[in-house]
Every structure is written in C-alpha cells, then in structure tokens.
Amino acid sequence: MLSRAFAVASSVSFAALLSAGQSIALELPLPPEGEDVVGQIQVIKAKYEDTFAALGETHDLGYLELIAANPGVDPWLPGEGTDIILPTRYILPPGPREGVVINLAEYRLYYYPEGKDVVHTFPLGIGREGWGSPVGNTRISAMTSNPAWYPPQSIRDEHAADGDPLPKVVPPGPDNPLGPYKLSLALPGYLIHGSNKKFGIGMRVSHGCFRMLNHNVLELAGLVKVGTSVRIIDEPYKFGVSQGKVYLEAHTPLQDEEQKMTLMDKHAVVINTLLKRDESAGSLQLDWEMVREIIAGEDGLPIQIAEQGQALATHEEPVF
C-alpha cells in the first residue's frame, strides 16, 4: 500500500512547485456538486529569515497548521532552502455551504458569498483552555471599524492578578487588542476581530473570541454584512470526495489537549464521523493502513483513503 508521505507528495501539483514563494489570496472556486475538496497543497523554499509566524501571515495560514504539515522543521529557524509545505488544500466543512462557517478543530473560518461559486478561508486564533470558544449557530449582529476595547471585569481581574492591570477602556490604535475591525456575534460577549499581535493566529490564545490577521479581518468585513449567518463547529476529522476519490483530513482534537485521547478513542470518532456523513460509507473499500497513518499524523492534509464504487471486498480484516 502507498505510504502517507507518498500520498502527500503526489498531491502537490507541479504548477504549485513552479510558483513557489508566491502568495495567493485564499479565495477558492467551489468544486462541482457532490464534491468537497478545494485548493492545492504548495511547497516553497524557506529563506534564511523565514519563520512559520511570518510565513503564516504571508500565505493566510495559522501557526499550528504549518507545524502540523511540516513535522521536524524548526518553526523559528526552518533554514535556508528547506522545503516548506503550505497546507492550502482543504476538505470543506460538513453542512450547508452558506454564510460563515468556523471549524474550531482546524482554527479556520470559511465564508461562502451568496450567489457566487467561491469560498474564502482564513486562519483563526480561538479560545484557550478554560476560555473555550462556543459551538452553535449565530449571526453577525454588528460591525465596527476601529473599535475601542472595554475589557470585561473577568479579564481585568485576570490581568490584575498577573500584575498587569488594564484600564476600563482601550482606545482605537496600535495598542488595541481588537485590531482595526470587530464583528460582533449574536452570542453575547463573542467577537470576530483583528489583533495587535501577529503571533497567535491559528492557536488557542484568546478568551473565547476569534482572532484574525488584520488584513484578513478587513477583507472579511468587506464581504459580510449584519445578519450574515455564523455556524461554529468542532470537527477534527473531515471526509470529502473529489473526482471519485474519498479523502480524510485529520486535525488534533481540541479535547485531546485536555483529556489525552487514546488512538482507539480517535479511531472510534473517525468511524462515527464517516458513518454520520454517508450511510453508504460502510460499503467502501477503505485503505485502513492509510487511515491509521492519517489519524496518527494529524497533519491537516486531505489524503485519499478510498475510491467510490469499490465495494468492500471482505469484512474479515480487523478495522484497527
């Protein structure tokens, strides 16, 4: 059977290699009906001064997703000439392709403009342990340019305990942690906003709100409007179809950081997710060795695990 490393290498397009080092906006054409995979994995050559934080800002990628896609590479000093995988191929999140969809497990936001066959996607910082971001359906209730920040009492108490007292209001400007724009959600106390700190996008760093790179939040603000739906999910394992092939994309589950899930726990979640997505999934001839490698690797890259139309040849091989 093919190894996961070979599967990743074969999914990198020759065109992407030729265009290495060029930044592209992550506005991607939607696939045909019944398909779920968008974008292409890219590879660039690192320059001496590159860091994952800087590469993330340039290519609209989060810090942790770059680390996951490039195991063994030093994120602070990758080294001149090192090949860096840019994980810019995605399985679209399950559910309706409308409005804003946030998948906490992949630290990423998707926006589907009404009447257009494209999707925009941006990296996010989300709530850290103890300040988790919510799951559910909501909407954008207000949009504010150059917002002032009124830190809640709970955050002021936390900072005071650390010897870093906060004022009751932080005016707009470079010291404002909300950045140049905020999108208020109908969930009281939760925002999508920019940041005065570049580091932390694509990580669990906030008090529950959703942080974006400043140029990303300004772009999103120009696309959405008050009333736009926002669906927040937590799906570490995504399945998708492209050109008759079935793909699996695995991210580290958020609860793994808190509960230390076993591989068997993760395997069970994967199987349940697949069966929930497609009632006919039980008849697929899955490459179980590849599935196991993908779950163990958790690199966030869509990798082929089956082909549609291939019936399961035998039920005798153990699943795990």
Side-chain angles (χ1 to χ4, degrees), residues 45 256 279:
K45 295 286 187 183
D256 189 34
E279 292 181 357

Side-chain angles (χ1 to χ4, degrees), residues 152-314:
Q153 189 62 48
S154 57
I155 295 179
R156 294 182 63 202
D157 290 344
E158 180 185 71
H159 277 254
D162 292 337
D164 179 30
L166 289 174
K168 291 185 178 180
V169 58
V170 178
D175 296 327
N176 190 305
L178 301 184
Y181 215 100
K182 75 172 183 180
L183 308 172
S184 301
L185 301 181
L187 292 169
Y190 291 98
L191 310 170
I192 301 172
H193 62 82
S195 176
N196 63 339
K197 298 177 181 178
K198 295 180 181 180
F199 187 74
I201 306 302
M203 300 176 66
R204 298 185 72 176
V205 291
S206 78
H207 288 88
C209 290
F210 303 102
R211 292 186 189 177
M212 299 182 72
L213 293 164
N214 286 339
H215 69 275
N216 283 170
V217 77
L218 291 172
E219 182 178 349
L220 181 64
L223 295 169
V224 301
K225 59 184 179 182
V226 171
T228 296
S229 65
V230 178
R231 183 164 57 93
I232 306 169
I233 62 176
D234 182 7
E235 297 284 350
Y237 305 111
K238 297 188 296 178
F239 292 89
V241 174
S242 179
Q243 298 181 348
K245 299 175 181 178
V246 181
Y247 290 82
L248 169 61
E249 178 182 318
H251 302 265
T252 302
L254 297 182
Q255 61 265 38
D256 189 34
E257 300 177 17
E258 303 162 11
Q259 301 173 8
K260 298 301 178 186
M261 298 172 66
T262 67
L263 277 178
M264 289 299 295
D265 292 335
K266 295 178 182 180
H267 292 162
V269 174
V270 167
I271 296 304
N272 289 334
T273 302
L274 177 58
L275 294 176
K276 181 175 65 175
R277 181 191 185 280
D278 188 349
E279 292 181 357
S280 64
S283 64
L284 288 174
Q285 186 175 349
L286 299 179
D287 183 343
W288 291 113
E289 183 177 337
M290 183 67 74
V291 170
R292 285 190 287 265
E293 286 195 41
I294 294 169
I295 296 172
E298 296 178 338
D299 60 15
L301 304 175
I303 298 175
Q304 182 185 340
I305 59 169
E307 291 194 20
Q308 289 181 314
Q310 287 187 347
L312 188 61
T314 176

